[in-house]
Amino acid sequence: MLLIHTIEDVRAQIKSWKKDGLTVGLVPTMGALHAGHMSLINKCTERCDKTVVSIFVNPIQFGPSEDFDQYPRTLEADAKLCKKAGVDIIFAPTPKEMYGEGHILSNDFLTYVVPPFFYSNKLCGKTRVGHFDGVCTVVNKLFNIVQPNFAFFGEKDRQQLIILKKMVKDLNIPVTIVPCPIVRDENGLALSSRNKYLSQKSKKDALVLNKILFNIKSCYDNGITDVRALTETAYSIMNFQRQSLEYLEFRDQDTLEEKLTADDNTIVFIAVKVGGVRLIDNIALGMIG
Ligand code: AMP
């Protein structure tokens, strides 16, 4: 496995693979790898001849009051996991390698990929203004650098996945996006690098997210489709002294349009603050099982 920090070196390696007719898969991450990331990596190594994992805490997708500085950075441990999983390249550029001397004060980096406002102004985009501009821009850059045949993204970040699919379609980017199911811990909590911020007690309180989602799913499976009625079940589960709800919304799986009546194309999205940590989760009502 190669650990590469520069665009030039990664390009040279991939060029030689492409010359040999090999397929390349990309798994974009911000590191602090856990079993959720590993499920994407395993899918990639199964499907592609060569697997590139990018590890980059992308400054332009964090707001000024967000956790960019505190975000866990564990490159050594990540490299061990990747090596064991059969990854061919870890691409871990510095912010300078990606954006030059600075994206705000210098002219080194000025061009952003801005997703449609209708997709980015809701759910996480409501409180994280500009977040999806940063995501689309960095993923576009990674696609241009690595030129993968396949790119693997988790359904954990479902709004991101929907926006990236739209970007790839609208801009005719020659890559196949492969969605990967959410990996949860033994209690049902969706794995996230930010779970590291949770105390033992908050970890218990955090189970409210998946409890609400699976409760709504079971009500839907029993024939309840009225979104107002389904939302009521969530309020009965939450303990508002310990958790604060940022959003609970029912939206279309492709267009993110709001649903008043749930159907098999509906995704239920939730964001809750627990012990000062913002957690997100979602469930597809059409999912079988
Ligand atoms: P991140 O490092 O948080 O930017 O995540 C990198 C990729 O891993 C994204 O496509 C995420 O959706 C995916 N991912 C993170 N956590 C999970 C999880 N629990 N299950 C599935 N995919 C995940």
Side-chain angles (χ1 to χ4, degrees):
M1 185 183 76
L2 299 169
L3 174 58
I4 298 182
H5 297 287
T6 69
I7 294 168
E8 193 183 343
D9 288 351
V10 87
R11 278 212 162 122
Q13 183 58 56
I14 284 160
K15 199 171 167 188
S16 84
W17 290 343
K18 292 254 165 148
K19 225 164 79 192
D20 293 340
L22 301 173
T23 58
V24 177
L26 172 67
V27 183
T29 81
M30 298 205 298
L33 301 182
H34 50 64
H37 298 111
M38 298 320 289
S39 73
L40 274 58
I41 291 171
N42 292 336
K43 268 206 171 173
C44 186
T45 57
E46 270 166 32
R47 186 145 178 189
C48 305
D49 297 323
K50 296 288 179 186
T51 292
V52 179
V53 174
S54 62
I55 297 184
F56 180 57
V57 185
N58 176 33
I60 68 167
Q61 72 186 65
F62 286 78
S65 59
E66 292 182 358
D67 57 346
F68 175 70
D69 289 330
Q70 297 94 301
Y71 198 85
R73 289 161 171 86
T74 58
L75 186 56
E76 218 174 289
D78 293 348
K80 275 190 194 147
L81 289 172
C82 286
K83 194 169 175 196
K84 216 170 145 195
V87 170
D88 298 283
I89 291 180
I90 291 181
F91 175 48
T94 59
K96 190 172 172 193
E97 180 70 7
M98 292 294 272
Y99 299 115
E101 283 306 329
H103 53 280
I104 295 168
L105 295 176
S106 86
N107 279 346
D108 266 5
F109 186 80
L110 294 172
T111 308
Y112 279 70
V113 179
V114 180
F117 190 57
F118 180 78
Y119 286 67
S120 64
N121 70 344
K122 50 182 56 63
L123 302 168
C124 289
K126 225 176 187 173
T127 48
R128 305 191 73 190
V129 176
H131 169 70
F132 291 109
D133 300 0
V135 169
C136 286
T137 303
V138 79
V139 170
N140 217 296
K141 279 170 77 75
L142 290 169
F143 284 170
N144 286 330
I145 293 164
V146 176
Q147 306 200 355
N149 305 87
F150 298 92
F152 298 76
F153 293 91
E155 289 173 348
K156 161 80 174 33
D157 300 281
R158 180 90 64 161
Q159 185 179 13
Q160 166 177 288
L161 176 63
I162 292 169
I163 287 175
L164 290 174
K165 271 186 177 163
K166 181 82 180 131
M167 176 184 84
V168 162
K169 180 171 174 283
D170 285 357
L171 300 182
N172 306 100
I173 302 175
V175 62
T176 301
I177 301 272
V178 185
C180 305
I182 301 174
V183 177
R184 300 174 179 281
D185 73 10
E186 63 282 5
N187 299 313
L189 179 65
L191 298 183
S192 159
S193 305
R194 288 192 170 96
N195 292 355
K196 288 193 173 150
Y197 302 150
L198 292 170
S199 67
Q200 217 45 34
K201 184 184 163 298
S202 296
K203 258 198 176 158
K204 273 194 193 147
D205 290 342
L207 297 179
V208 78
L209 284 100
N210 66 291
K211 260 195 215 145
I212 286 175
L213 294 178
F214 282 94
N215 206 284
I216 288 174
K217 168 81 173 127
S218 107
C219 292
Y220 174 76
D221 288 344
N222 285 318
I224 303 174
T225 57
D226 179 50
V227 162
R228 228 189 279 172
L230 291 168
T231 305
E232 284 304 316
T233 70
Y235 292 133
S236 64
I237 294 172
M238 279 208 55
N239 178 340
F240 286 95
Q241 269 148 10
R242 297 211 305 261
Q243 305 122 350
S244 68
L245 183 66
E246 186 181 302
Y247 61 71
L248 173 70
E249 296 185 26
F250 293 66
R251 295 196 170 267
D252 182 83
Q253 63 184 6
D254 298 313
T255 64
L256 287 179
E257 264 164 291
E258 193 172 5
K259 299 269 190 179
L260 299 178
T261 305
D263 59 25
D264 280 359
N265 297 324
T266 303
I267 309 287
V268 189
F269 293 86
I270 190 167
V272 173
K273 248 194 176 159
V274 181
V277 183
R278 186 176 173 282
L279 300 172
I280 59 169
D281 201 345
N282 69 83
I283 200 164
L285 294 185
M287 182 180 72
I288 311 283

